Amino acid sequence: MAETARPTANDQPSRMSTFATASVFVIGVYLGILFIKSEVASWQRIHNMFLFQEAHMYLIIGTAIGLAMLSMFLIKRLQIQSVAGKPIKYEPKPYHTGVVVGGMLFGAGWAITGACPGPIYAQIGAGTGMALFTFAGAMLGMFSYAAVKPKLPH
Amino acid sequence: MDWIMQPWPWWVSGILIGLTVPLLCILADKAFGISTSLQQMGAMCAPNSKFEYLNKHDRRGHLWTLIFVMGITVGGFVATRFLSAEPVALLPETFKSPAGAAKLLFGGFLIGFGTRYAGGCTSGHSITGIANLNWPSLLATLCFFAGGLAVTWGLGNLLF
């Protein structure tokens, strides 16, 4: 553990320690492996989920939420701090029209491509060349949102 | 150890994916979420963009999202190359066509636009948000499914 790089509570929040940076990368690799091995990144699994043909995806998402919820409960209850010695707090994502409209648009894209944002990266890493189109589309969608954001209800 | 080379059962996958949330906040003080990486890349490609969404974006503060998705990409490579007994087919063969490319581009557009408008995706809303009892995240998740079901069972069924 890079103790020398451990930031103090007064440090800028944007300043990341070497340890935190390395952790983020390793957790990313871990998650990328999981996206492939769980088949969450497989178009057919997503399709079967939306067809209600198999419980696989529902069970994975449900278990993941349950475990994350239990972890957050314990972290809050036991006031567990981060390795950097900071209190762990969640910044709530607020409600606005986009949660509904954007949410449905994303859901449609998820059903068409068989990928949500994380699995797009895992598919590219796995050598699925066509996933580059999904990624290019996602970047175009993000740029379009940047362009029209001031005109959209939030 | 043969099972490692096969697809993993749902409960192993679910538990390990859920663990990402505490791992990220304990080891790196970060809230699990992936779609912000798109904004981060946009802001890095166009730092002088006339759009506030990109020029006001805290590129330093969100740099971790880029490192995170680079990790996910490497993970995808490792899992297919070293941890799979058989070749992994993630997309059906039918997508390897101009029409398939157009479909993926259009669906990808909806992913990029939708997740940024909704303020999160399956990770930031459905997993992290619901786990923190954030009700708009539950609503977002219901809308993800509403959109996906509409495409699978409705009009999209004819188009795609």
Side-chain angles (χ1 to χ4, degrees), chain B residues 28-84:
Chain B
D29 293 282
K30 300 297 175 208
F32 177 39
I34 295 171
S35 62
T36 308
S37 63
L38 297 170
Q39 183 186 7
Q40 173 70 17
M41 281 186 263
M44 286 173 79
C45 293
N48 302 314
S49 161
K50 59 185 194 302
F51 309 133
E52 267 191 17
Y53 188 70
L54 301 177
N55 65 36
K56 289 263 172 72
H57 176 75
D58 176 8
R59 284 184 285 279
R60 253 193 104 146
H62 293 102
L63 188 64
W64 75 274
T65 60
L66 192 62
I67 298 164
F68 190 45
V69 300
M70 283 160 69
I72 294 175
T73 311
V74 171
F77 173 79
V78 170
T80 355
R81 189 82 169 71
F82 303 111
L83 297 173
S84 300

Side-chain angles (χ1 to χ4, degrees), chain A residues 13-17 19-21 23-45 47 49-52 56 58-61 63-65 67-73 75-76 80-88 90-128 130-149 152-154, chain B residues 3-32 34-39 41-43 45-46 51-54 58 60-61 64 67-80 83-85 88-92 95-97 100-122 124-137 139-140 143-149 151-153 160:
Chain A
S14 59
R15 185 84 185 86
M16 259 181 101
S17 68
F19 172 74
T21 308
S23 301
V24 162
F25 183 76
V26 172
I27 298 167
V29 176
Y30 162 90
L31 193 61
I33 292 174
L34 278 162
F35 282 152
I36 300 296
K37 296 309 295 179
S38 65
E39 300 192 306
V40 162
S42 297
W43 185 89
Q44 198 60 51
R45 287 288 194 187
H47 193 58
M49 166 181 79
F50 284 123
L51 285 176
F52 300 115
H56 184 79
Y58 293 101
L59 289 168
I60 289 181
I61 297 175
T63 310
I65 293 174
L67 198 106
M69 202 181 278
L70 178 68
S71 314
M72 290 317 293
F73 173 78
I75 284 172
K76 286 168 194 169
I80 294 172
Q81 290 191 331
S82 70
V83 171
K86 289 183 201 160
I88 289 165
Y90 172 71
E91 194 123 340
K93 288 177 188 277
Y95 171 78
H96 60 84
T97 316
V99 169
V100 173
V101 180
M104 291 199 280
L105 292 175
F106 160 53
W110 188 14
I112 294 168
T113 63
C116 43
I120 298 176
Y121 298 109
Q123 288 180 345
I124 293 172
T128 307
M130 293 308 282
L132 289 170
F133 285 97
T134 318
F135 177 69
M139 287 302 286
L140 282 174
M142 180 278 303
F143 277 120
S144 307
Y145 173 69
V148 298
K149 184 175 185 257
L152 293 172
H154 280 86
Chain B
W3 67 271
I4 286 202
M5 305 300 281
Q6 302 302 321
W8 296 352
W10 63 265
W11 56 275
V12 173
S13 309
I15 290 171
L16 296 182
I17 291 173
L19 265 180
T20 310
V21 172
L23 283 174
L24 267 181
C25 65
I26 290 175
L27 297 178
D29 293 282
K30 300 297 175 208
F32 177 39
I34 295 171
S35 62
T36 308
S37 63
L38 297 170
Q39 183 186 7
M41 281 186 263
C45 293
F51 309 133
E52 267 191 17
Y53 188 70
L54 301 177
D58 176 8
R60 253 193 104 146
W64 75 274
I67 298 164
F68 190 45
V69 300
M70 283 160 69
I72 294 175
T73 311
V74 171
F77 173 79
V78 170
T80 355
L83 297 173
S84 300
V88 183
L90 300 171
L91 283 169
F95 277 102
K96 278 191 186 160
S97 63
K103 249 191 257 186
L104 293 174
L105 199 65
F106 176 67
F109 182 92
L110 295 176
I111 294 173
F113 191 96
T115 54
R116 294 334 294 140
Y117 192 13
C121 60
T122 336
H125 268 314
S126 308
I127 299 182
T128 312
I130 296 179
N132 282 286
L133 312 175
N134 184 45
W135 72 264
S137 294
L139 177 65
C143 293
F144 299 164
F145 279 90
L149 290 171
V151 163
T152 309
W153 292 85
F160 302 109

